[in-house]
Amino acid sequence: MIRHVADEILLTIFLPPVAAALKEGIGVQFLINIVLTMIGWLPGVIHAFWVNTRNGTMV
């Protein structure tokens, strides 16, 4: 369990659109995350963390 969460945190930091896609699928949140990541890395990471934790837990 801890290893799984650590992997997801690393994925969220280094590849935010992939982390958002794994949580929500290829949809609106994924497209928003791609745009935010193209604007700057940090907005994409913040959005990916929000997508992955908005139900209270990581995937």
Side-chain angles (χ1 to χ4, degrees):
M1 175 76 178
I2 293 173
R3 172 93 175 147
H4 180 65
V5 172
D7 290 343
E8 291 200 15
I9 290 171
L10 289 174
L11 187 63
T12 301
I13 292 170
F14 292 112
L15 297 169
V18 174
L22 288 175
K23 175 72 174 184
E24 294 287 324
I26 306 297
V28 175
Q29 295 299 331
F30 174 71
L31 295 174
I32 291 171
N33 195 271
I34 287 201
V35 170
L36 288 171
T37 303
M38 289 191 321
I39 290 171
W41 171 77
L42 189 58
V45 170
I46 292 169
H47 180 261
F49 269 113
W50 176 77
V51 167
N52 282 320
T53 60
R54 67 181 164 170
N55 292 333
T57 60
M58 293 292 278
V59 172

Coordinates of all heavy atoms in Angstrom, one line a residue:
M1 N 0.8 -1.2 0.0 CA 0.0 0.0 0.0 C 0.9 1.3 0.0 O 0.6 2.1 -0.8 CB -0.9 0.0 1.2 CG -1.8 1.2 1.4 SD -3.1 1.2 0.2 CE -3.9 2.7 0.7
I2 N 1.8 1.3 0.9 CA 2.7 2.5 1.0 C 3.5 2.7 -0.3 O 3.6 3.8 -0.8 CB 3.6 2.4 2.2 CG1 2.8 2.5 3.5 CG2 4.7 3.5 2.2 CD1 3.5 2.3 4.7
R3 N 4.0 1.6 -0.8 CA 4.7 1.6 -2.1 C 3.9 2.1 -3.2 O 4.3 2.9 -4.0 CB 5.3 0.2 -2.4 CG 5.9 0.1 -3.7 CD 7.4 0.3 -3.7 NE 7.9 0.0 -5.0 CZ 8.9 0.6 -5.5 NH1 9.6 1.5 -4.7 NH2 9.4 0.4 -6.6
H4 N 2.6 1.7 -3.3 CA 1.7 2.2 -4.3 C 1.4 3.7 -4.2 O 1.5 4.4 -5.2 CB 0.4 1.4 -4.1 CG -0.7 1.7 -5.1 ND1 -0.6 1.5 -6.5 CD2 -1.9 2.3 -5.0 CE1 -1.6 1.9 -7.1 NE2 -2.5 2.5 -6.2
V5 N 1.2 4.2 -3.0 CA 1.0 5.6 -2.8 C 2.3 6.4 -3.2 O 2.2 7.4 -3.8 CB 0.6 5.9 -1.4 CG1 0.5 7.4 -1.1 CG2 -0.8 5.3 -1.1
A6 N 3.4 5.9 -2.8 CA 4.7 6.6 -3.1 C 4.9 6.6 -4.6 O 5.3 7.6 -5.2 CB 5.9 5.9 -2.5
D7 N 4.6 5.5 -5.3 CA 4.7 5.5 -6.8 C 3.7 6.6 -7.4 O 4.1 7.2 -8.4 CB 4.3 4.1 -7.3 CG 5.4 3.1 -7.0 OD1 6.5 3.5 -6.7 OD2 5.1 1.9 -7.1
E8 N 2.5 6.7 -6.9 CA 1.6 7.6 -7.4 C 2.0 9.1 -7.2 O 1.8 9.9 -8.0 CB 0.2 7.4 -6.9 CG -0.4 6.1 -7.4 CD -1.9 6.0 -7.3 OE1 -2.5 7.1 -7.1 OE2 -2.4 4.9 -7.4
I9 N 2.6 9.3 -6.0 CA 3.1 10.7 -5.7 C 4.2 11.0 -6.7 O 4.2 12.1 -7.2 CB 3.5 10.8 -4.3 CG1 2.3 10.7 -3.3 CG2 4.3 12.0 -4.0 CD1 2.6 10.6 -1.9
L10 N 5.1 10.1 -6.9 CA 6.2 10.3 -7.9 C 5.7 10.5 -9.3 O 6.2 11.4 -10.0 CB 7.2 9.2 -7.8 CG 8.1 9.1 -6.6 CD1 8.9 7.8 -6.6 CD2 9.0 10.3 -6.4
L11 N 4.7 9.8 -9.7 CA 4.1 9.9 -11.0 C 3.4 11.3 -11.1 O 3.6 11.9 -12.1 CB 3.1 8.8 -11.3 CG 2.5 8.7 -12.7 CD1 3.6 8.4 -13.7 CD2 1.5 7.7 -12.7
T12 N 2.8 11.7 -10.1 CA 2.1 13.0 -10.1 C 3.1 14.1 -10.2 O 2.9 15.1 -10.9 CB 1.3 13.2 -8.8 OG1 0.3 12.1 -8.7 CG2 0.6 14.5 -8.8
I13 N 4.3 14.0 -9.6 CA 5.3 15.0 -9.6 C 6.0 15.1 -11.0 O 6.1 16.2 -11.5 CB 6.3 14.8 -8.5 CG1 5.7 15.1 -7.1 CG2 7.5 15.7 -8.7 CD1 6.5 14.7 -6.0
F14 N 6.3 13.9 -11.5 CA 7.1 13.9 -12.7 C 6.3 13.9 -14.0 O 6.7 14.4 -15.1 CB 8.1 12.7 -12.7 CG 9.2 12.9 -11.7 CD1 9.2 12.1 -10.6 CD2 10.1 13.9 -11.8 CE1 10.2 12.3 -9.6 CE2 11.1 14.1 -10.8 CZ 11.1 13.3 -9.7
L15 N 5.1 13.3 -14.0 CA 4.2 13.2 -15.2 C 2.8 13.5 -14.8 O 1.9 12.6 -14.8 CB 4.3 11.8 -15.8 CG 5.7 11.4 -16.3 CD1 5.7 9.9 -16.7 CD2 6.1 12.2 -17.5
P16 N 2.5 14.8 -14.5 CA 1.2 15.1 -14.0 C 0.0 14.7 -14.9 O -1.0 14.2 -14.4 CB 1.2 16.6 -13.9 CG 2.6 17.0 -13.9 CD 3.4 15.9 -14.6
P17 N 0.1 14.9 -16.3 CA -1.0 14.4 -17.1 C -1.3 12.9 -17.0 O -2.4 12.5 -17.0 CB -0.6 14.8 -18.5 CG 0.3 15.9 -18.3 CD 1.1 15.6 -17.1
V18 N -0.2 12.1 -16.9 CA -0.4 10.7 -16.8 C -1.1 10.3 -15.5 O -2.0 9.5 -15.5 CB 0.9 9.9 -16.9 CG1 0.8 8.5 -16.6 CG2 1.6 10.2 -18.3
A19 N -0.7 11.0 -14.4 CA -1.4 10.7 -13.1 C -2.9 11.1 -13.2 O -3.7 10.4 -12.6 CB -0.7 11.5 -12.0
A20 N -3.2 12.2 -13.8 CA -4.6 12.6 -13.9 C -5.4 11.7 -14.8 O -6.5 11.3 -14.5 CB -4.7 14.1 -14.5
A21 N -4.7 11.2 -15.9 CA -5.4 10.2 -16.7 C -5.7 8.9 -16.0 O -6.7 8.3 -16.3 CB -4.6 10.0 -18.0
L22 N -4.7 8.4 -15.2 CA -4.9 7.2 -14.5 C -6.1 7.3 -13.5 O -6.8 6.3 -13.3 CB -3.6 6.8 -13.8 CG -2.5 6.3 -14.7 CD1 -1.3 6.0 -13.8 CD2 -2.9 5.0 -15.4
K23 N -6.3 8.4 -12.9 CA -7.3 8.6 -12.0 C -8.7 8.8 -12.6 O -9.7 8.2 -12.3 CB -7.0 9.8 -11.0 CG -8.1 10.2 -10.1 CD -8.2 9.2 -9.0 CE -9.2 9.7 -8.0 NZ -9.4 8.9 -6.8
E24 N -8.7 9.7 -13.6 CA -10.0 10.1 -14.2 C -10.3 9.6 -15.6 O -11.4 9.7 -16.2 CB -10.1 11.7 -14.3 CG -10.1 12.3 -13.0 CD -11.4 12.2 -12.3 OE1 -12.5 12.2 -12.9 OE2 -11.4 12.0 -11.0
G25 N -9.3 9.0 -16.3 CA -9.4 8.6 -17.6 C -9.1 9.8 -18.6 O -8.8 10.9 -18.1
I26 N -9.2 9.5 -19.9 CA -8.9 10.6 -20.8 C -10.2 11.4 -21.0 O -11.1 10.9 -21.7 CB -8.5 10.0 -22.2 CG1 -7.3 9.0 -22.1 CG2 -8.2 11.1 -23.2 CD1 -6.1 9.6 -21.6
G27 N -10.2 12.5 -20.3 CA -11.4 13.3 -20.3 C -11.1 14.8 -20.0 O -10.0 15.2 -20.3
V28 N -12.0 15.5 -19.5 CA -11.9 16.9 -19.2 C -10.7 17.2 -18.3 O -9.9 18.1 -18.5 CB -13.2 17.5 -18.6 CG1 -13.0 18.9 -18.2 CG2 -14.3 17.3 -19.6
Q29 N -10.6 16.4 -17.2 CA -9.5 16.7 -16.2 C -8.2 16.4 -16.8 O -7.2 17.2 -16.5 CB -9.7 15.8 -14.9 CG -10.9 16.1 -14.1 CD -10.9 17.5 -13.6 OE1 -9.9 18.2 -13.4 NE2 -12.1 18.1 -13.5
F30 N -8.1 15.4 -17.7 CA -6.8 15.2 -18.4 C -6.4 16.3 -19.3 O -5.3 16.8 -19.3 CB -6.9 13.9 -19.2 CG -5.8 13.6 -20.1 CD1 -4.6 13.2 -19.5 CD2 -5.9 13.7 -21.5 CE1 -3.5 12.9 -20.3 CE2 -4.8 13.4 -22.3 CZ -3.6 13.0 -21.7
L31 N -7.4 16.8 -20.1 CA -7.2 17.9 -21.0 C -6.8 19.2 -20.2 O -5.9 20.0 -20.6 CB -8.4 18.2 -21.9 CG -8.7 17.0 -22.8 CD1 -10.0 17.3 -23.6 CD2 -7.5 16.8 -23.8
I32 N -7.5 19.5 -19.1 CA -7.1 20.6 -18.3 C -5.7 20.5 -17.8 O -4.9 21.5 -17.8 CB -8.1 20.8 -17.1 CG1 -9.5 21.2 -17.6 CG2 -7.6 21.8 -16.1 CD1 -10.6 21.1 -16.6
N33 N -5.3 19.3 -17.4 CA -4.0 19.1 -16.8 C -2.9 19.3 -17.9 O -1.9 19.8 -17.6 CB -3.9 17.7 -16.2 CG -2.7 17.6 -15.3 OD1 -1.6 17.3 -15.8 ND2 -2.8 18.0 -14.1
I34 N -3.2 18.8 -19.1 CA -2.2 19.0 -20.2 C -2.0 20.5 -20.4 O -0.9 21.0 -20.6 CB -2.7 18.3 -21.5 CG1 -2.5 16.9 -21.3 CG2 -2.0 18.9 -22.7 CD1 -2.4 16.0 -22.5
V35 N -3.1 21.3 -20.5 CA -3.0 22.7 -20.7 C -2.2 23.4 -19.5 O -1.3 24.2 -19.8 CB -4.4 23.4 -20.8 CG1 -4.3 24.9 -20.8 CG2 -5.1 22.9 -22.1
L36 N -2.6 23.0 -18.3 CA -1.9 23.6 -17.2 C -0.4 23.2 -17.2 O 0.5 24.0 -16.8 CB -2.5 23.2 -15.9 CG -3.9 23.8 -15.6 CD1 -4.5 23.1 -14.4 CD2 -3.7 25.3 -15.3
T37 N -0.1 22.0 -17.5 CA 1.3 21.6 -17.6 C 2.1 22.3 -18.7 O 3.3 22.6 -18.5 CB 1.4 20.0 -17.8 OG1 0.7 19.4 -16.7 CG2 2.9 19.6 -17.8
M38 N 1.4 22.6 -19.8 CA 2.1 23.4 -20.9 C 2.3 24.8 -20.4 O 3.3 25.4 -20.9 CB 1.3 23.3 -22.2 CG 1.4 21.9 -22.8 SD 0.7 21.7 -24.5 CE -0.7 22.7 -24.6
I39 N 1.4 25.4 -19.6 CA 1.6 26.7 -19.1 C 2.8 26.7 -18.2 O 3.6 27.7 -18.2 CB 0.4 27.2 -18.4 CG1 -0.8 27.4 -19.4 CG2 0.6 28.5 -17.6 CD1 -2.1 27.7 -18.8
G40 N 2.9 25.7 -17.4 CA 4.0 25.6 -16.4 C 3.9 24.3 -15.7 O 2.8 23.8 -15.4
W41 N 5.0 23.8 -15.3 CA 5.1 22.5 -14.6 C 4.3 22.5 -13.3 O 3.5 21.6 -13.0 CB 6.5 22.0 -14.4 CG 6.7 20.8 -13.6 CD1 6.5 19.5 -14.0 CD2 7.0 20.8 -12.2 NE1 6.7 18.7 -12.9 CE2 7.1 19.5 -11.8 CE3 7.4 21.8 -11.3 CZ2 7.4 19.1 -10.5 CZ3 7.7 21.4 -10.0 CH2 7.7 20.0 -9.6
L42 N 4.5 23.5 -12.5 CA 3.9 23.6 -11.2 C 2.3 23.6 -11.2 O 1.7 22.9 -10.5 CB 4.4 24.8 -10.4 CG 4.0 24.8 -8.9 CD1 4.5 23.6 -8.2 CD2 4.6 26.0 -8.3
P43 N 1.7 24.4 -12.1 CA 0.2 24.3 -12.2 C -0.3 22.9 -12.5 O -1.3 22.5 -12.0 CB -0.1 25.3 -13.2 CG 1.0 26.3 -13.3 CD 2.2 25.4 -13.0
G44 N 0.4 22.2 -13.4 CA 0.0 20.9 -13.7 C 0.2 19.9 -12.6 O -0.7 19.0 -12.3
V45 N 1.2 20.1 -11.8 CA 1.4 19.2 -10.6 C 0.4 19.5 -9.6 O -0.2 18.6 -9.0 CB 2.8 19.4 -10.0 CG1 3.0 18.7 -8.7 CG2 3.9 18.9 -11.0
I46 N 0.1 20.7 -9.3 CA -1.0 21.1 -8.3 C -2.3 20.5 -8.7 O -3.0 19.9 -7.9 CB -1.0 22.6 -8.1 CG1 0.2 23.1 -7.5 CG2 -2.3 23.0 -7.3 CD1 0.4 24.6 -7.5
H47 N -2.6 20.7 -10.0 CA -3.9 20.1 -10.5 C -3.9 18.6 -10.4 O -5.0 18.0 -10.0 CB -4.2 20.6 -11.9 CG -5.4 20.1 -12.5 ND1 -5.5 18.9 -13.3 CD2 -6.7 20.5 -12.4 CE1 -6.8 18.7 -13.6 NE2 -7.5 19.6 -13.1
A48 N -2.9 17.9 -10.7 CA -2.8 16.5 -10.6 C -3.0 16.0 -9.2 O -3.7 15.0 -8.9 CB -1.5 16.0 -11.2
F49 N -2.3 16.7 -8.3 CA -2.5 16.4 -6.8 C -4.0 16.6 -6.4 O -4.6 15.8 -5.7 CB -1.6 17.2 -5.9 CG -0.3 16.5 -5.7 CD1 0.9 17.1 -6.1 CD2 -0.2 15.3 -4.9 CE1 2.1 16.5 -5.9 CE2 1.0 14.7 -4.7 CZ 2.2 15.3 -5.2
W50 N -4.6 17.6 -6.9 CA -6.0 17.9 -6.6 C -6.9 16.8 -7.2 O -7.8 16.3 -6.5 CB -6.4 19.3 -7.1 CG -7.9 19.5 -6.9 CD1 -8.4 19.9 -5.7 CD2 -8.9 19.4 -7.9 NE1 -9.8 20.0 -5.9 CE2 -10.1 19.7 -7.2 CE3 -8.9 19.1 -9.2 CZ2 -11.3 19.7 -7.9 CZ3 -10.1 19.1 -9.9 CH2 -11.3 19.4 -9.2
V51 N -6.6 16.4 -8.4 CA -7.4 15.3 -9.0 C -7.3 14.0 -8.2 O -8.3 13.4 -8.0 CB -7.0 15.1 -10.5 CG1 -7.6 13.8 -11.1 CG2 -7.5 16.3 -11.3
N52 N -6.1 13.7 -7.8 CA -5.8 12.4 -7.2 C -6.3 12.4 -5.7 O -6.5 11.4 -5.2 CB -4.3 12.1 -7.2 CG -4.0 11.5 -8.6 OD1 -4.7 10.8 -9.2 ND2 -2.8 11.9 -9.1
T53 N -6.4 13.6 -5.1 CA -6.8 13.6 -3.7 C -8.2 14.2 -3.4 O -8.5 14.3 -2.2 CB -5.7 14.4 -2.9 OG1 -5.7 15.7 -3.3 CG2 -4.4 13.7 -2.9
R54 N -8.9 14.6 -4.4 CA -10.2 15.3 -4.1 C -11.2 14.4 -3.4 O -12.1 14.9 -2.8 CB -10.7 15.9 -5.3 CG -11.2 15.0 -6.4 CD -11.7 15.8 -7.5 NE -11.8 14.9 -8.7 CZ -12.4 15.3 -9.8 NH1 -12.9 16.5 -9.9 NH2 -12.5 14.5 -10.8
N55 N -11.1 13.1 -3.4 CA -12.0 12.2 -2.7 C -11.4 11.8 -1.3 O -11.9 11.0 -0.7 CB -12.3 10.9 -3.5 CG -13.1 11.3 -4.7 OD1 -13.9 12.2 -4.7 ND2 -13.0 10.5 -5.7
G56 N -10.3 12.5 -0.9 CA -9.7 12.2 0.4 C -8.5 11.3 0.4 O -7.8 11.2 1.4
T57 N -8.3 10.5 -0.7 CA -7.2 9.5 -0.7 C -6.6 9.5 -2.1 O -7.3 9.8 -3.1 CB -7.7 8.1 -0.3 OG1 -8.7 7.7 -1.3 CG2 -8.3 8.0 1.0
M58 N -5.4 9.1 -2.1 CA -4.7 8.8 -3.4 C -5.4 7.5 -4.0 O -6.0 6.7 -3.2 CB -3.2 8.6 -3.3 CG -2.5 9.9 -2.9 SD -2.5 11.2 -4.1 CE -1.1 10.6 -5.1
V59 N -5.3 7.3 -5.3 CA -5.9 6.2 -5.9 C -5.6 4.9 -5.2 O -4.6 4.5 -4.8 CB -5.4 6.1 -7.4 CG1 -5.9 4.8 -8.0 CG2 -5.9 7.2 -8.1

